[in-house]
Amino acid sequence: IDVFSTLKEGLIAGGEDCDGMTIAFATLLGHLGFTTVARVIATKEDPKNWAHIFPLVGVPKDDPKKWIALDTSVVGATPGWVYPHIAKYEDYDLTHP
């Protein structure tokens, strides 16, 4: 069972895992007017199990043409970095109304 925290709960706890960081970034970017999606991946090492999630932000803000991965839960990942061994993925729109 996985528990999903709100941004406030994650900040109070002092840290989060990949789903908490996705919620945090999507919340903050959404409030700034950006379109965000959550990408859930299964790896080639274990293609039957969804193993990781990270946010993507659409740019430009008003009419996204490009999606930039913001995977802050992987040490050394920089904006645009994507896990290299993805077997499959699903994207979920996190756009705030």
Side-chain angles (χ1 to χ4, degrees), residues 9 11 23 28 33 35-36 46 51 54 61 64 66 89-90 96:
E9 291 167 337
L11 291 171
I23 291 167
L28 295 170
T35 301
T36 57
D46 191 9
F54 56 91
K61 185 191 293 188
K66 180 179 178 182
Y89 69 88
E90 294 276 338
H96 298 281

Side-chain angles (χ1 to χ4, degrees), residues 3-89:
V3 177
F4 301 102
S5 303
T6 65
L7 175 57
K8 181 178 179 180
E9 291 167 337
L11 291 171
I12 290 169
E16 274 292 340
D17 57 5
C18 60
D19 49 21
M21 293 304 293
T22 298
I23 291 167
F25 265 76
T27 300
L28 295 170
L29 289 166
H31 284 289
L32 292 173
F34 285 94
T35 301
T36 57
V37 298
R39 177 162 290 173
V40 181
I41 65 167
T43 65
K44 291 179 182 175
E45 296 83 9
D46 191 9
K48 293 184 179 181
N49 292 306
W50 298 109
H52 188 55
I53 185 170
F54 56 91
L56 292 99
V57 61
V59 293
K61 185 191 293 188
D62 297 332
D63 187 21
K65 303 278 190 251
K66 180 179 178 182
W67 295 92
I68 300 171
L70 299 172
D71 196 340
T72 60
S73 65
V74 174
V75 174
T78 57
W81 181 87
V82 177
Y83 186 80
H85 304 287
I86 295 174
K88 63 182 177 180
Y89 69 88

